[in-house]
Amino acid sequence: MNLFLINPRKLFIALVTLFYSTVSMAQSSGHHVRETLSSADSSAQIDSNKTKELKKTAFSLVPSSYMVQYAGSIGLFSVGAGWDYSRQKQWSTDFLLGYVPKYDTDRAKLTFTLRQTYTPFKVQLHDQLSYHPLRTGIYLNTTLGKQFWYKEPDKYPSSYYKFSTRLRINIFVGQDFTYKVKSNSSYFEGIKFYYDLHTSDLYLISGIQNKYLKFDDYIGLALGIKFQIRRK
Amino acid sequence: MKKFWIYIVLASISLLIHSCNMFDIHPYSGKIEGRQDINRDNIIKIERDYAGRDTIKYAFISDSQRWHDDLDDFVKIVNKRDDIDFIIHGGDISDFGLTKEFLWQRDILEKLKQPYVALLGNHDCLANGEEIFEQVFGNPNYSFIAGKTKFLCLNTNALESDYSKPVPDFSFIESERLKDIERFDQSVVVMHARPTSDQFNNNVASVFQYSIRQYPNLLYCNNGHDHTYQEDDIFKDGIIYYGTPNIGKRQFLIFTVTKDHYTHELVSY
């Protein structure tokens, strides 16, 4: 059974392209707001709005958040940096480095993760506390080590194993709470607590095909904290 | 409206608390919980309980990767019978080499009332799978004596090994040939991939056959891997290789071994 209808490398490139196109879309929407404003209001107000909107939505290479995560099929603990974008900060792209202790095997492992999250709804519970009832998305995880390959080595007959031991495609749904810091000048703007229920291609196909496997056999839980940096 | 959201929050928190054992570190974490060294302990049971018996009867299954439901049904069926002395699993316990796959299948096999042993399949070698296999089940080359028959269980997945270790391991085969000779008078060789298959080191196929034929009164061989029932005299020397279908076909073999003689049947469920 072919688990990847498309080549994993192509998928990776496609996801990166999607990320940059979303970023440029977010930037151009900010630009659009600026233009509408300049045609309407008084000049002083326009200027302040203009710079504010532009800076909020503009893409910066400096990450807008840092995070730590527990579990999630990417390591015992992972640390990462993220970019939150679009006007309502509904989209975010995170890059995480995970550590897997050696447990009962010969060596510990490091993993890399690229995660794309979409958070469509926001509920303001309190002045400083907001709640996002849904966060969902996809993450790709690669594991370092020569035991793990993208495509089976040449020694095998072609299409012998039809899947990659190195690249996992995960999907997730979760929720988060964001606590905004009161100060307007602090380095951190807010702190976000999230949890995700996730599964990967290989777990999912095992779970779907077998009634024997229960929900918690192939669905995992991850907990994380995201520190959001203030953008001036 | 606010109350509604509070209920949602409370429901979410209770779900979180409920799911504390759901943390998955990594698909290839190698985090093994529960029973380990199963072959070693079950071999002690087999050798003790059936010592000196003239007739033994065992079920031979193989290739249960990703067929958890069918393996579970097999366990239920065998547990209803009382004539099976032990079970041999011919390998491919996992499909992707995932740590959890080994544990899922182990937990199904653990429900068996009779002792069982498992062989290493080629899928079990994927990623760090072989390390997990060795922890949970044991060394990929081993032997045991049931009644008066020696079962030689061999790792034959040469394609997986990159010549980093001998597969098949001729020095192991030689060292086992006369070990405990006073306790057995006939032999059976069990493997995952048989000679001529894509996994076997076919350069040494006839040498392999020669070396196992040196065993006292070799009756026949058992193999898995090909996912179909096989009964072939591969080397035209009277030694039959009996291949068992994958468990997904809901079929398995039962062998009855007596002195100098054996019968087998293909069971469908």
Side-chain angles (χ1 to χ4, degrees), chain B residues 48-269:
Chain B
R48 184 194 59 207
D49 293 354
Y50 311 131
R53 279 249 299 260
D54 287 327
T55 305
I56 49 154
K57 194 168 187 174
Y58 70 94
F60 181 53
I61 59 168
S62 191
D63 301 77
S64 59
Q65 73 267 43
R66 208 147 41 88
W67 284 291
H68 305 283
D69 286 355
D70 305 305
L71 184 64
D72 195 45
D73 290 342
F74 162 79
V75 169
K76 283 173 193 156
I77 278 157
V78 169
N79 279 348
K80 273 184 203 144
R81 305 174 61 132
D82 53 9
D83 58 338
I84 306 288
D85 297 323
F86 59 93
I87 295 95
I88 301 179
H89 189 305
D92 276 0
I93 288 152
S94 82
D95 198 8
F96 310 117
L98 305 176
T99 304
K100 270 192 176 179
E101 285 187 305
F102 288 95
L103 305 185
W104 289 337
Q105 296 249 323
R106 175 201 65 189
D107 292 345
I108 297 171
L109 291 168
E110 278 295 295
K111 292 191 274 187
L112 283 165
K113 286 181 191 155
Q114 300 89 345
Y116 66 95
V117 294
L119 280 92
L120 180 77
N122 56 302
H123 281 257
D124 301 325
C125 302
L126 290 172
N128 58 2
E130 198 169 339
E131 291 176 66
I132 315 301
F133 180 91
E134 286 185 19
Q135 296 278 331
V136 175
F137 296 100
N139 199 302
N141 291 308
Y142 58 94
S143 78
F144 62 93
I145 297 166
K148 288 180 174 159
T149 308
K150 182 170 227 178
F151 287 83
L152 180 69
C153 300
L154 298 173
N155 171 18
T156 53
N157 309 300
L159 189 57
E160 304 298 328
S161 76
D162 292 328
Y163 297 97
S164 54
K165 63 186 105 175
V167 178
D169 187 343
F170 287 107
S171 53
F172 178 79
I173 295 172
E174 181 54 28
S175 71
E176 283 291 321
R177 187 166 61 93
L178 296 174
K179 198 174 155 196
D180 301 318
I181 183 73
E182 68 287 354
R183 284 166 53 209
F184 70 98
D185 45 31
Q186 51 194 13
S187 324
V188 170
V189 177
V190 190
M191 68 204 80
H192 178 67
R194 66 181 196 170
T196 69
S197 83
D198 54 3
Q199 277 286 334
F200 202 87
N201 181 355
N202 289 310
N203 186 37
V204 297
S206 57
V207 182
F208 173 78
Q209 186 70 1
Y210 176 81
S211 69
I212 60 170
R213 287 200 60 192
Q214 303 310 304
Y215 269 63
N217 195 10
L218 177 66
L219 295 177
Y220 59 91
C221 297
N222 276 156
N223 70 272
H225 187 59
D226 294 318
H227 290 213
T228 182
Y229 171 69
Q230 295 161 316
E231 183 180 355
D232 295 317
D233 186 354
I234 297 175
F235 296 92
K236 309 283 179 245
D237 59 357
I239 300 299
I240 311 289
Y241 280 77
Y242 293 96
T244 191
N246 57 319
I247 208 74
K249 294 219 169 63
R250 302 177 73 83
Q251 287 182 317
F252 61 95
L253 296 178
I254 291 179
F255 281 84
T256 309
V257 184
T258 53
K259 183 158 173 54
D260 298 330
H261 191 73
Y262 67 93
T263 56
H264 79 286
E265 57 174 317
L266 178 67
V267 181
S268 302
Y269 61 98

